[in-house]
Amino acid sequence: MNGSLVERMWVVRGPTNCETAMSGVSALPASGSYIDVSGYEFVHIIAHLGTLHASDTPVLTPKVADSASGTLDVIDSTLAHTCNVTTDDGKFVVWSIEVRKLALDHHFIALALSGTLTNGSYVDVVFLLENGSQPVSQTTAQVPSANQYHWLG
């Protein structure tokens, strides 16, 4: 296999729209759409923080459930990221999680949002599911073949 990201990792969006307001959102993706990571070696979560309101206290935590709409449980408390509203605007937060280390019956993942989120703070989230040496097929609704470019020398 070559070094092409779209052949090595399945790209899954968290929210359906870019620059999602965190207010009133408990997880990305929403309950009923948690991402099944069984069959993958690693899941990488990339959160791009947008504008963070000075009165908000956003906390981003990867969590897992036993189904696409199950109750989200903490993987490990050290994975929680409390955003610094004075310096985190425009920054990225990145998690890499080894799937085989998750509880056996908890292979549906989401990024939980908590804290005070009522004043206008924003985030974009992308999940990259890594399948080791096996190629993956992208969902064309999210990454159409016309949007995939490779230049691997």
Side-chain angles (χ1 to χ4, degrees), residues 3-90:
S4 172
L5 183 138
V6 295
E7 291 179 6
R8 292 184 32 230
M9 295 187 198
W10 185 37
V11 179
V12 183
R13 65 178 172 234
T16 55
N17 296 313
C18 293
E19 195 70 10
T20 297
M22 290 190 228
S23 178
V25 178
S26 61
L28 295 170
S31 180
S33 299
Y34 301 154
I35 300 163
D36 184 357
V37 296
S38 60
Y40 293 92
E41 292 184 19
F42 291 91
V43 58
H44 308 281
I45 305 169
I46 302 171
H48 180 222
L49 303 172
T51 300
L52 299 175
H53 192 279
S55 298
D56 282 348
T57 57
V59 179
L60 311 178
T61 309
K63 292 187 176 183
V64 290
D66 61 357
S67 70
S69 58
T71 301
L72 288 172
D73 297 318
V74 173
I75 299 169
D76 189 291
S77 62
T78 62
L79 295 175
H81 175 77
T82 301
C83 299
N84 183 329
V85 296
T86 59
T87 61
D88 274 356
D89 283 12

